Amino acid sequence: MLRIEVLLMIKSMTGYGRAVKDALTVEVRAVNHRYLDVSVRTPRSCAFLEEPLKTFAAKHAARGKLEIGVVIDNLAAETVKVSLNRPVLESYLEAARLIEEEYGVANDIRASAALRFPDVMAAARQEPETKTMTALALETAEAAFADFNAARAREGARLAEDIAVKLDGIERQTALIEARMPENVAAYRERLRLKITEILDKQAFDEARILTEAAVYADRVCADEELVRLKIHIAALRGMLNQTGAIGRKMDFLVQEFMREANTIGSKCSDTETVRYVVDLKSEIEKIREQVQNIE
């Protein structure tokens, strides 16, 4: 069984992380994907954050379908600026003064009334300061990705532990198949002897011919090379569980080699007991393949 500190080295592709800083929230979630696919959701006024966050994500994840969400509290209130259109207001006030002077109508304009004149006030959305907002978003993203990667490492530990257990099962099945090989040849030789005895009805026959046929059969069903390669693959996969970085693809390729050797062994073996061992072997390999699909 692998030690916990070893298990923490590999990461799952799935995970979730979140961080909040100065009213800005960054959430990161990911599911399995063959390659790295990053999408970013931001407020419309902060669309400039998309590319920096994608670049940042590429440095912290190698595979998976990542979704990064950015939420900024009170963004609308903070980015709307109301300004006074002085030339328009002065035109209204000048018109009111002329009315009063030329027509004798009292000028009773108050500030509250002046604010209601068309085009006196202008409200404009003020875009966030790009550099400041980008720096804040990346700082928050760093904390979110730390949380995200910690979650992926914990899941990776569980995956590695499960794979290690299943590798133990594969080793047991391999040992059973290997031990069964000499018995298969002996059983074939005995079946051949009984068949010839039955056909010849106790007449003399060439014992050397039986040994020759048994040797040919033994060569045909020999799976020594496949079993040796399978043991090498098992050792290699155990070694990968100790590695860091994105090793999911390499593990996936290696598990395909596991299945290739198992299929070859199965094609060479015909007795019921060995076939059962091979079926159990392939079942364990398939379980590992499913788990490996989740590793970055």
Side-chain angles (χ1 to χ4, degrees), residues 19 112 186 205:
S112 57
F205 56 87

Side-chain angles (χ1 to χ4, degrees), residues 256-269:
Q256 291 179 40
E257 295 301 307
F258 272 64
M259 190 61 77
R260 194 191 315 278
E261 304 300 345
N263 286 333
T264 304
I265 293 171
S267 67
K268 289 184 174 183
C269 302

Side-chain angles (χ1 to χ4, degrees), residues 4 53 112 136 146 238:
I4 293 299
L53 286 173
S112 57
L136 177 60
R238 285 193 187 280

Side-chain angles (χ1 to χ4, degrees), residues 16-21 24-28 52-53 55-57 59-60 68-70 133-150:
Y16 172 81
R18 183 176 184 272
V20 180
K21 198 171 194 62
L24 188 147
T25 302
V26 174
E27 291 185 324
V28 185
L53 286 173
T55 302
F56 184 87
K59 297 177 181 179
H60 291 75
I68 302 174
V70 178
M133 186 62 70
T134 300
L136 177 60
L138 292 178
E139 184 180 354
T140 311
E142 186 171 2
F145 268 88
D147 187 32
F148 168 68
N149 281 325

